[in-house]
Amino acid sequence: MNSVEIKLEEFLKKYPRVAIAFSGGVDSSYLLYAAKTVGCDVNAYFIKSQFQPQFELDDAISLAQFVGVPLTIGTLDSLADSNISANPADRCYYCKNAVFSTIWELARADGHVVLFDGTNADDDESDRAGMVALRELKVLSPLRECGLTKSDIRRLSKEAGLFTHDKPSYACLATRIPTGTTITNELLEKTERAEELLHNMGFSDFRIRLNLPNDAKLQIHETQWSRAAQMREEIYSALKKYYDNILLDLLPR
């Protein structure tokens, strides 16, 4: 056990009963596992809104069952808040505030007074308006406070046997829509269906971003460019029902 693992274990032992904001991603999955392993009484909370695709909820349910932690699933109509649906530059602040306020309501109803999230040491606070909301709502980030990076978390997750250890990082569906463009259910649903089609073709760790007025910009890892070229007709045929043109972003990712 290295120093960051020891530090995390010591940190978690200070909180015998905790609620964890759970997305089913790499970071919050390992945090859930670590808290359970050190003996914390843990409850996980997942908020389903229009911004999360179904596979994220499915992964969250599977991981919580694997770790043996009860999972509460709440719902949120993110687009009911004009500060979110208008898609301003600080949309993430309003979205995080709404999500974590909802989690706090559920957690407090269950008697919790401590709430964790999975922010890690690599997350740059200067780039994340949502982290301001976390501070305001007094959400603790053990992984970040104890210095665990994404690579640390992936390694430890693999050692723990968590299927999330190699799961690609995933940003919510709202990030596919250009800032200042009103977010609608139609745009979100179209994005989710289009990305599901590309995933079913064998692609991973990619994004389909809306390129105004109605073009799809495919951001695919450079190691999969040749595959995209070979399958260009199949890709176009699948996505043309949603977009006027299909573009490939040649910037490496």
Side-chain angles (χ1 to χ4, degrees):
M1 185 178 291
N2 62 31
S3 59
V4 292
E5 293 173 73
I6 294 171
K7 190 174 181 180
L8 179 62
E9 181 176 330
E10 292 174 346
F11 183 99
L12 294 174
K13 285 182 177 179
K14 297 176 185 177
Y15 300 95
R17 188 165 190 264
V18 297
I20 293 181
F22 185 48
S23 68
V26 179
D27 301 326
S28 61
S29 292
Y30 181 70
L31 179 60
L32 198 69
Y33 165 82
K36 175 72 172 179
T37 299
V38 303
C40 298
D41 179 4
V42 190
N43 285 78
Y45 295 83
F46 182 101
I47 302 301
K48 183 71 173 77
S49 77
Q50 300 98 320
F51 292 176
Q52 283 77 43
Q54 183 61 38
F55 79 81
E56 287 281 74
L57 175 56
D58 294 341
D59 283 355
I61 292 171
S62 295
L63 198 289
Q65 290 175 342
F66 177 79
V67 175
V69 170
L71 173 64
T72 298
I73 301 169
T75 58
L76 175 67
D77 181 3
S78 295
L79 300 184
D81 185 344
S82 60
N83 289 314
I84 298 174
S85 62
N87 201 16
D90 57 352
R91 180 204 70 243
C92 190
Y93 167 80
Y94 295 105
C95 189
K96 285 281 190 182
N97 192 290
V99 168
F100 279 85
S101 293
T102 302
I103 292 175
W104 260 129
E105 289 178 11
L106 295 171
R108 286 180 175 130
D110 291 336
H112 289 283
V113 296
V114 178
L115 176 60
F116 289 166
D117 92 306
T119 302
N120 69 59
D122 286 333
D123 292 324
D124 184 354
E125 188 165 1
S126 65
D127 290 339
R128 300 207 171 193
M131 292 176 72
V132 176
L134 297 181
R135 286 201 309 272
E136 292 176 352
L137 292 171
K138 295 180 170 50
V139 178
L140 301 180
S141 303
L143 302 176
R144 180 178 177 83
E145 293 192 34
C146 296
L148 274 80
T149 64
K150 179 70 80 173
S151 61
D152 290 329
I153 296 163
R154 288 192 183 280
R155 173 180 57 81
L156 292 168
S157 296
K158 185 174 184 179
E159 292 173 2
L162 305 182
F163 70 82
T164 51
H165 74 90
D166 61 351
K167 183 177 179 178
S169 296
Y170 187 83
C172 80
L173 291 169
T175 63
R176 314 298 196 268
I177 301 169
T179 299
T181 300
T182 299
I183 302 172
T184 65
N185 281 314
E186 180 184 12
L187 284 176
L188 295 170
E189 290 167 3
K190 176 172 72 172
T191 302
E192 181 175 0
R193 289 194 296 267
E195 291 195 347
E196 184 178 10
L197 286 171
L198 208 59
H199 179 267
N200 290 341
M201 293 179 199
F203 292 94
S204 61
D205 194 15
F206 65 88
R207 306 283 187 269
I208 299 180
R209 299 196 187 276
L210 174 64
N211 198 54
L212 297 173
N214 188 42
D215 294 344
K217 181 168 70 172
L218 276 55
Q219 294 182 323
I220 298 173
H221 197 279
E222 58 193 293
T223 58
Q224 300 179 75
W225 284 353
S226 60
R227 179 181 179 85
Q230 292 168 4
M231 300 182 65
R232 62 187 183 279
E233 292 185 5
E234 184 177 350
I235 292 171
Y236 176 74
S237 178
L239 300 186
K240 68 179 182 180
K241 68 182 74 172
Y242 303 122
Y243 301 99
D244 297 332
N245 298 288
I246 316 301
L247 315 174
L248 178 61
D249 188 343
L250 295 180
L251 287 175
R253 56 168 277 117

